[in-house]
Amino acid sequence: MSNDYSQLGQLRPDFAAIAAWLPQGASVLDLGCGDGSLLRYLRETRGVRGYGVEISDADVAACIANNVNVIQNDLESGLADFESNSFDFVILSQTLQATRHTEPLMQEMLRVGREGIVSFPNFGYWKNRVNILRGNMPVSKDLPYQWYDTPNVHLCTLHDFETFCRKYRMLILDRRVMAGGSAVNMLPNLLGSTAVYRFRRAA
Amino acid sequence: MDNSVGIVSAQRAQFDTPLLCKSGVVLPRYELVYETYGTLNADRSNAVLICHALSGHHHVAGIYADDPRNIGWWDNLIGSGKPIDTDKFFVIGLNNLGGCHGSTGPSSIDTASGQPYGASFPLVTVEDWVESQSRLADQLGIQQFAAVIGGSLGGMQAMQWSLSYPERVRHVLAIATAPHLTAENIAFNDVARNAILTDPDFYGGNFYRHGVVPTRGLRLARMLGHITYLSDDAMADKFGRSLRSGKLGYSYDIEFEIESYLRYQGDKFAAYFDANTYLLMTKALDYFDPARAFDGNLNRAFAAAQAKFLVVSFTTDWRFAPQRSREIVRALLHNKRDVSYAEISSNHGHDSFLMEDAHYFEVMRNYMNTIAQEFAA
């Protein structure tokens, strides 16, 4: 079982990118943690300890089955259960685009944690642009929803996200851009399908 | 019956070491009645203690040979292949000290006087119960519980275990409970107590020697309590404004279905439950407040806990609301303890913790399975 999880990084390069940033034994809060896969992977590869926050009943039950600490709560109501500076890292993995109150939540991440980590699908990815040019909303592995059933309300491009961070005084420390499991270094906003950022409050 | 633990029988444990209660009163000797299900494993690491709530007892699962309709109060949760799986765990249910189902309580005969204890039985607290339960664990050769589990007042005992004996409990499952009662909650308890205390048949708690039972007070107490264990929605669904006869009678007889139901519940309860035990249990609820010794700071109170926690609440439970469970969760988070919290959508108010619900039971099953993996590995 634990082998499955330590090899999950091959299937999920965004998980591997996050793991590479975390020192051994870091404390982590994973917002919108789903079934707890990321936390379990980070526990087994980096020895991190921490908690997930999840609203879905099925995912909460799955986290418990995965032996991952999970607190059932709605992210949109803030992180009031968590004390300031109580975690090394607060992670928002593939959830940013589905949050309604995105800016307050990002601020909350940096209240609760020393650093924030965010991953999201890049709406500026060239295939998405081609879809739009053809006249359709993009549907892909990273954006697997139809326009009428998507939970995504705040899709953005890498440029948008970086502009947002500047505006709200969040300092980007590192960035990994990927497409199809490989790192993208050239023209990331065009060639990257998904991105992971590490940031903290600007001094 | 499917996957029931089957026919069970109660056992008694005798304790001759005096118990110094929180109140300062010493109970020189006492008995606890208990049941067990499943088998204690070789290294005695699979024991689970079930703590009961206000009106509960030791008959948690299974049936009695001479009374097959008397099914344990948490039988839906405990048995072979059930969320608390008796193929994996050795499960213990007991009747708390002060109870009226066989353990020493106000209605028991005090050997010193040859009379029922009555008013002279000490007001026992959650801490006292945990102390008495730890002695039962000693007798059964259990040094450490895999889990202590309870709902409502039972959840308070489960939490207290992690504070009184941090090294003796690996997991606490605190369900539909709170770190202390609110003023509103104490108020409900006090009205219930007043119904009993002012019943002319109460005789200051010594009604046994008068050959009477304060039935009116006890049934009023139960009727009030029962209202608070249900939700507005559940009552609306179950009874609405239905009339028994279909038309208004312009009298004070039973007319609405809810009246009929509450009176039935009150009568049923008053026929078997001891009034002094009811008083004592509500007081134990009121007194429970682990933060009290720490200037009201729950974070500091939970610093002693080492166990891993599962905290469960129910959306329509207004007597032990989800917000109260969150207070427990926050104190555990503050102390960086392992904790999971599930808020179950349920229509049944406080009573939800006793009812079968697919998601609730899945959460319980998944959590118990992770515990079982610790000693199966």
Side-chain angles (χ1 to χ4, degrees), chain A residues 99-154:
Chain A
T99 59
R100 192 165 293 276
H101 307 288
T102 309
E103 187 262 327
L105 180 61
M106 292 274 289
Q107 300 288 6
E108 274 285 87
M109 289 175 71
L110 291 180
R111 174 185 68 81
V112 168
R114 204 163 42 81
E115 290 186 14
I117 293 175
V118 159
S119 69
F120 58 88
N122 174 25
F123 204 72
Y125 181 46
W126 69 271
K127 286 187 181 172
N128 296 339
R129 300 188 194 200
V130 169
N131 272 306
I132 298 281
L133 280 175
R134 282 182 177 157
N136 294 312
M137 285 298 283
V139 178
S140 65
K141 183 164 156 285
D142 291 314
L143 292 168
Y145 302 101
Q146 296 293 337
W147 65 271
Y148 50 82
D149 67 5
T150 181
N152 298 332
V153 291
H154 285 151

Side-chain angles (χ1 to χ4, degrees), chain A residues 103 106-107 110 157-173 175 197 199-203:
Chain A
E103 187 262 327
M106 292 274 289
Q107 300 288 6
L110 291 180
T157 69
L158 305 196
H159 284 166
D160 291 332
F161 182 76
E162 289 169 18
T163 305
F164 169 91
C165 286
R166 271 195 301 279
K167 180 174 177 190
Y168 291 102
R169 305 193 48 76
M170 295 169 190
L171 181 68
I172 292 169
L173 301 169
R175 177 182 82 177
Y197 284 86
F199 58 97
R200 64 172 166 80
R201 198 177 297 287

Side-chain angles (χ1 to χ4, degrees), chain B residues 117-158:
Chain B
Y117 283 94
S120 73
F121 196 86
L123 261 66
V124 288
T125 63
V126 169
E127 291 106 307
D128 297 332
W129 282 332
V130 168
E131 186 56 35
S132 65
Q133 290 161 2
S134 77
R135 293 183 184 182
L136 177 63
D138 293 343
Q139 276 204 13
L140 296 173
I142 294 156
Q143 178 49 39
Q144 186 189 56
F145 284 107
V148 179
I149 303 174
S152 191
L153 178 57
M156 291 175 170
Q157 294 159 61

Side-chain angles (χ1 to χ4, degrees), chain B residues 8-260:
Chain B
V8 299
S9 54
Q11 302 171 72
R12 307 187 73 80
Q14 175 84 39
F15 301 88
D16 294 318
T17 308
L19 182 75
L20 171 60
C21 296
K22 251 338 231 185
S23 64
V25 177
V26 174
L27 204 57
R29 70 192 66 80
Y30 56 93
E31 287 186 339
L32 294 177
V33 61
Y34 66 98
E35 292 179 5
T36 70
Y37 325 109
T39 310
L40 189 60
N41 62 7
D43 61 358
R44 297 165 184 267
S45 59
N46 68 336
V48 169
L49 179 68
I50 307 289
C51 300
H52 71 71
L54 202 161
S55 59
H57 44 72
H58 55 287
H59 185 37
V60 186
I63 54 170
Y64 293 135
D66 59 357
D67 188 6
R69 285 193 298 184
N70 187 351
I71 302 167
W73 57 267
W74 228 352
D75 189 82
N76 53 14
L77 195 71
I78 299 165
S80 172
K82 292 183 184 180
I84 300 173
D85 191 342
T86 48
D87 296 339
K88 298 171 180 167
F89 293 101
F90 177 64
V91 180
I92 302 163
L94 84 157
N95 185 212
N96 279 351
L97 194 60
C100 55
H101 290 86
S103 292
T104 304
S107 55
S108 310
I109 302 294
D110 179 0
T111 48
S113 68
Q115 295 287 320
Y117 283 94
S120 73
F121 196 86
L123 261 66
V124 288
T125 63
V126 169
E127 291 106 307
D128 297 332
W129 282 332
V130 168
E131 186 56 35
S132 65
Q133 290 161 2
S134 77
R135 293 183 184 182
L136 177 63
D138 293 343
Q139 276 204 13
L140 296 173
I142 294 156
Q143 178 49 39
Q144 186 189 56
F145 284 107
V148 179
I149 303 174
S152 191
L153 178 57
M156 291 175 170
Q157 294 159 61
M159 287 189 280
Q160 186 61 44
W161 259 96
S162 74
L163 308 179
S164 294
Y165 289 103
E167 69 293 341
R168 293 193 74 174
V169 51
R170 294 201 300 278
H171 295 268
V172 167
L173 284 76
I175 304 164
T177 192
H180 59 77
L181 292 195
T182 59
E184 183 188 59
N185 242 322
I186 295 170
F188 280 123
N189 282 346
D190 193 47
V191 174
R193 280 193 296 269
N194 263 283
I196 295 169
L197 293 168
T198 59
D199 187 318
D201 286 340
F202 183 62
Y203 290 103
N206 295 315
F207 50 88
Y208 316 98
R209 65 177 71 146
H210 297 270
V212 292
V213 172
T215 308
R216 281 164 292 182
L218 199 49
R219 74 195 274 274
L220 278 175
R222 182 58 169 182
M223 286 167 77
L224 174 69
H226 209 91
I227 297 168
T228 70
Y229 306 146
L230 302 176
S231 70
D232 194 16
D233 284 351
M235 268 206 244
D237 285 353
K238 197 165 174 182
F239 308 104
R241 293 181 51 82
S242 300
L243 293 162
R244 299 201 76 197
S245 69
K247 61 181 196 297
L248 300 176
Y250 299 96
S251 77
Y252 297 119
D253 294 337
I254 296 173
E255 292 194 85
F256 290 95
E257 287 290 356
I258 182 64
E259 297 176 306
S260 166

Side-chain angles (χ1 to χ4, degrees), chain A residues 51 61 69-70 72 81 83, chain B residues 326 334 337-338 341 343 366:
Chain A
Y51 308 85
N69 292 325
V70 62
Q72 188 160 26
D81 288 336
E83 295 174 0
Chain B
R326 287 186 178 279
H334 173 85
R337 296 297 179 267
D338 283 310
Y341 169 66
E343 197 169 299
N366 290 356

Side-chain angles (χ1 to χ4, degrees), chain B residues 356-375:
Chain B
E356 187 160 350
D357 171 273
H359 175 56
Y360 168 37
F361 276 26
E362 186 190 12
V363 164
M364 294 292 284
R365 179 186 300 277
N366 290 356
Y367 195 83
M368 293 308 290
N369 282 344
T370 64
I371 300 177
Q373 282 161 16
E374 292 171 3
F375 55 76

